[in-house]
Amino acid sequence: MGKVAAKMKVMPQSPDIDLDELQQKLEESLPQGAEIRNVDRDDVAFGLVALLPMVVVPDDAGGTEAVEEAFSGVDGVESVSVEEVGRL
């Protein structure tokens, strides 16, 4: 069984969101078998900063859909998108 790495973009609802706290909530929301390898930050505009987590999931887990749904349900998240996907 292989693994898939996906770079995701998580937009917070406002620039006032504590990004460290949001990152912690994202890590806690991960479905079983998924893990976050690292998280970059991207200045978007007007003080808004997006989190760019690199998420690794098992190849047979149905892709990143479960992670996207989990991240979307976290309080303070405006949107979630997949930027890049590759196999490990």
Side-chain angles (χ1 to χ4, degrees):
M1 170 176 67
K3 292 189 176 191
V4 174
K7 184 175 185 179
M8 305 182 85
K9 186 172 194 173
V10 178
M11 295 295 296
Q13 290 177 339
S14 79
D16 300 326
I17 300 271
D18 181 340
L19 294 177
D20 292 327
E21 184 178 324
L22 182 59
Q23 182 175 332
Q24 181 66 33
K25 288 179 184 178
L26 292 175
E27 291 172 2
E28 292 169 357
S29 75
L30 283 172
Q32 185 175 359
E35 65 176 297
I36 294 177
R37 291 275 172 100
N38 68 317
V39 180
D40 294 326
R41 295 183 182 192
D42 181 31
D43 292 328
V44 179
F46 307 109
L48 191 61
V49 178
L51 293 178
L52 304 171
M54 179 64 69
V55 180
V56 176
V57 294
D59 197 12
D60 65 347
T64 61
E65 287 182 28
V67 175
E68 291 175 70
E69 289 176 14
F71 284 0
S72 294
V74 171
D75 188 39
V77 171
E78 178 68 31
S79 66
V80 177
S81 62
V82 177
E83 299 290 301
E84 299 174 31
V85 177
R87 295 188 82 162
L88 292 180

